[in-house]
């Protein structure tokens, strides 16, 4: 049973062909610079990386290229297009309409177009790719899997902003939350791994990567999350500011003589670790500079830890306790320093980390001691596998 997972960005298309029965990645790759130069990089069975410059003027070209690779026999692969049982499309924003993964029909495409106002760059790319796939893959079932759907269980008291109610009614301004696939995947994995009951647990998931978010999951449902109307809110991230006082925007428009859009762009692309350190958005560069006693890098690091601690603490309060804290994302999976620095602040709820545990070569591992009152686990996220699983499950409902 083979599922093709497609993840369209504003100028990229990531693809993965996954055998869902044995959870094996058969082919994976990325088309980049779509609409400008074009470049495709892919690997077959986790080996034989191939990189080619190839003109990709639009998503039609990119899909054609992916199909050729799937069919390609020159590297000894014989994947017929007919071998694909279903296609899972990652869609950034499902608005309030989509609360779970959904089989794609003509009506669904129209609904997706309506949600696109909320995330124009990403959703429009996904819709384009979906439309090309309808033409190319004809009757192969397709499923839309949303970043926002997992968070649709968040109650109004947590998803509403303190704005006039009609701003929500008219413009749908509310917290949506993102990284849903990752939060769901790692929380399910961690509870299965520890033999805990997912539907009877209080979990805080920290997805710490270039984009970062924390989610409170109670009895299997997301009850709050740090990203909001857009992925800008919440934690300090690689280039994103996370929470700020909104008055700062108006103040800077005046002081810097820039437009509101320019300031919002600065909050998205020039802030966070990069902006504070004046060095880099990459966490490894920050750690290296901290080792050289760089003041701004140390400040960025401390702020990153502090903000994450504040969110975890508030979610423990919201759930009136916590059974497990999960770390994932490039930083959460790989940085011992970050996990330990964050967990130090939770000794008051009985968190105790075993500092002797090494995580290399593990996809999932407990890092708390046997005495710890809260289990702490590292899980390597795999959003594509989660999309493939959701696609498989949704397809199953169709037949
Ligand atoms: P994205 O949000 O783009 O998916 P990732 O989850 O891949 O990002 O995380 C990227 C971040 O993970 C970068 O800041 C990178 O420096 C950090 N990272 C990767 N490996 C390590 C490591 N060994 N130690 C510390 N940070 C790491």
């Amino acid at each position: 049973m083979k599922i093709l997972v497609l993840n369209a960005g504003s100028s990229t298309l990531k693809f993965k062909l996954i055998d869902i029965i044995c959870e094996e990645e058969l082919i994976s790759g990325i088309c980049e610079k779509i609409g400008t130069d074009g470049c495709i990089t892919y690997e077959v069975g986790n080996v034989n990386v191939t990189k080619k410059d190839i003109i990709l003027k639009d998503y039609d070209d990119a899909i054609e290229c992916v199909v050729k690779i799937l069919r390609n026999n020159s590297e000894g692969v014989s994947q017929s297009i007919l071998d694909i049982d279903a296609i899972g499309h990652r869609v950034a924003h499902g608005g309030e309409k989509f609360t779970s993964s959904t089989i794609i029909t003509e009506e669904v495409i129209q609904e997706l177009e309506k949600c696109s106002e909320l995330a124009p760059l990403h959703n429009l790319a996904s819709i384009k790719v979906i439309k090309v796939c309808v033409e190319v893959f004809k009757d192969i079932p397709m499923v839309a899997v949303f970043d926002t759907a997992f968070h649709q269980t968040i109650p109004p008291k947590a998803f509403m902003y303190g704005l006039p109610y009609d701003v929500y009614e008219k413009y749908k301004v509310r917290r949506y939350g993102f990284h849903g696939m990752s939060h769901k995947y790692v929380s399910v994995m961690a509870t299965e791994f520890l033999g805990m009951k997912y539907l009877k647990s209080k979990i805080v998931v920290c997805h710490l990567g270039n984009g970062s978010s924390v989610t409170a999951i109670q009895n299997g449902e997301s009850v709050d999350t740090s990203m909001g109307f857009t992925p800008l809110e919440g934690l300090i991230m690689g280039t994103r500011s996370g929470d700020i006082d909104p008055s700062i925007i108006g103040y800077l428009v005046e002081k810097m003589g820039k437009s509101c859009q320019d300031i919002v762009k600065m909050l998205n692309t020039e802030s966070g670790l990069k902006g504070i350190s004046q060095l880099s958005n990459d966490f490894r560069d920050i750690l290296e500079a901290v080792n050289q006693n760089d003041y701004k890098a140390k400040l960025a690091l401390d702020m990153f830890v502090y903000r994450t601690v504040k969110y975890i603490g508030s979610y423990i309060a919201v759930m009136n306790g916590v059974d497990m804290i999960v770390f994932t994302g490039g930083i959460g999976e790989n940085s011992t320093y970050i996990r330990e620095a964050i967990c130090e602040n939770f000794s008051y709820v009985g968190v105790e980390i075993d500092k002797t545990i090494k995580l290399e070569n593990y996809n999932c591992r407990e890092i708390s001691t046997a005495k710890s009152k809260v289990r702490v686990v590292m899980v390597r996220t795999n959003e594509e596998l989660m999309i493939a699983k959701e696609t498989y499950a949704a397809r199953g409902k169709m037949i």
Side-chain angles (χ1 to χ4, degrees), residues 183 204-208 213-215 308 312 325-329 332 342:
H183 287 293
V204 175
V205 174
C206 307
H207 177 114
L208 308 178
S213 64
V214 179
T215 295
T308 309
I312 299 173
I325 298 172
V326 184
F327 287 97
T328 192
I342 290 169

Side-chain angles (χ1 to χ4, degrees), residues 51 80 125 154 159 186 236 330 386:
K51 188 168 182 178
S80 155
I154 294 177
F159 77 62
V186 301
I236 286 173
M386 191 69 209

Side-chain angles (χ1 to χ4, degrees), residues 39-323:
C39 168
I40 182 155
T41 312
Y42 65 96
E43 55 188 59
V44 180
N46 290 321
V47 284
N48 298 339
V49 177
T50 308
K51 188 168 182 178
K52 282 183 196 159
D53 289 329
I54 175 167
I55 291 170
L56 299 172
K57 49 180 194 319
D58 49 27
Y59 287 99
D60 296 75
D61 280 2
I63 293 290
E64 194 183 317
C65 199
V66 171
V67 169
K68 266 192 197 145
I69 289 168
L70 298 182
R71 281 199 171 123
N72 188 353
N73 292 305
S74 62
E75 276 90 10
V77 193
S78 61
Q79 301 292 338
S80 155
I81 194 167
L82 299 172
D83 275 355
I84 298 170
D85 294 284
I87 301 171
H89 292 269
R90 181 194 196 161
V91 181
H93 219 305
E96 292 190 310
K97 171 78 187 169
F98 296 104
T99 56
S100 61
S101 302
T102 305
I103 300 274
I104 296 173
T105 60
E106 195 47 52
E107 295 78 68
V108 167
I109 296 175
Q110 281 166 17
E111 286 295 337
L112 289 178
E113 277 168 340
K114 286 188 203 155
C115 296
S116 294
E117 265 188 359
L118 298 167
L121 273 182
H122 284 91
N123 269 29
L124 289 176
S126 301
I127 293 167
K128 272 188 204 146
V129 169
I130 288 169
K131 286 182 173 171
V132 178
C133 286
V134 170
E135 295 296 314
V136 174
F137 294 97
K138 309 248 185 287
D139 295 332
I140 297 178
M142 299 207 287
V143 175
V145 182
F146 301 92
D147 265 9
T148 48
F150 182 57
H151 300 300
Q152 280 296 304
T153 46
I154 294 177
K157 65 182 175 191
F159 77 62
M160 289 293 291
Y161 291 111
L163 295 168
Y165 196 81
D166 55 355
V167 170
Y168 164 62
E169 285 184 312
K170 279 192 197 148
Y171 307 113
K172 298 290 168 215
V173 172
R174 50 159 286 178
R175 175 181 312 285
Y176 289 99
F178 298 87
H179 285 147
M181 285 299 106
S182 177
H183 287 293
K184 185 172 176 183
Y185 176 78
V186 301
S187 54
V188 169
M189 278 284 285
T191 42
E192 275 177 8
F193 180 73
L194 295 183
M196 289 167 65
K197 290 197 170 76
Y198 189 55
L199 300 180
K200 282 193 175 169
S201 57
K202 295 173 179 177
I203 306 171
V204 175
V205 174
C206 307
H207 177 114
L208 308 178
N210 201 27
S212 298
S213 64
V214 179
T215 295
I217 301 169
Q218 188 161 7
N219 303 333
E221 292 186 340
S222 170
V223 293
D224 205 348
T225 192
S226 60
M227 283 179 169
F229 179 61
T230 71
L232 179 57
E233 193 180 346
L235 303 184
I236 286 173
M237 308 178 217
T239 61
R240 288 174 237 164
S241 63
D243 299 336
I244 62 160
D245 179 341
S247 312
I248 293 170
I249 299 176
Y251 182 77
L252 289 183
V253 164
E254 220 165 89
K255 286 283 170 195
M256 293 170 82
K258 291 195 170 175
S259 70
C260 187
Q261 283 93 327
D262 287 340
I263 302 297
V264 172
K265 191 171 173 208
M266 178 187 83
L267 298 178
N268 271 299
T269 61
E270 297 299 325
S271 303
L273 295 177
K274 181 182 174 193
I276 301 157
S277 71
Q278 302 275 289
L279 204 80
S280 170
N281 64 311
D282 194 290
F283 198 74
R284 286 163 292 196
D285 295 340
I286 300 289
L287 287 180
E288 206 179 303
V290 170
N291 284 334
Q292 313 285 326
N293 294 322
D294 185 291
Y295 169 76
K296 288 177 187 158
K298 177 77 169 85
L299 177 64
L301 181 66
D302 289 347
M303 288 170 71
F304 183 91
V305 171
Y306 183 76
R307 181 79 59 90
T308 309
V309 165
K310 274 202 339 188
Y311 265 98
I312 299 173
S314 68
Y315 290 163
I316 294 176
V318 159
M319 295 191 290
N320 193 7
V322 63
D323 301 311

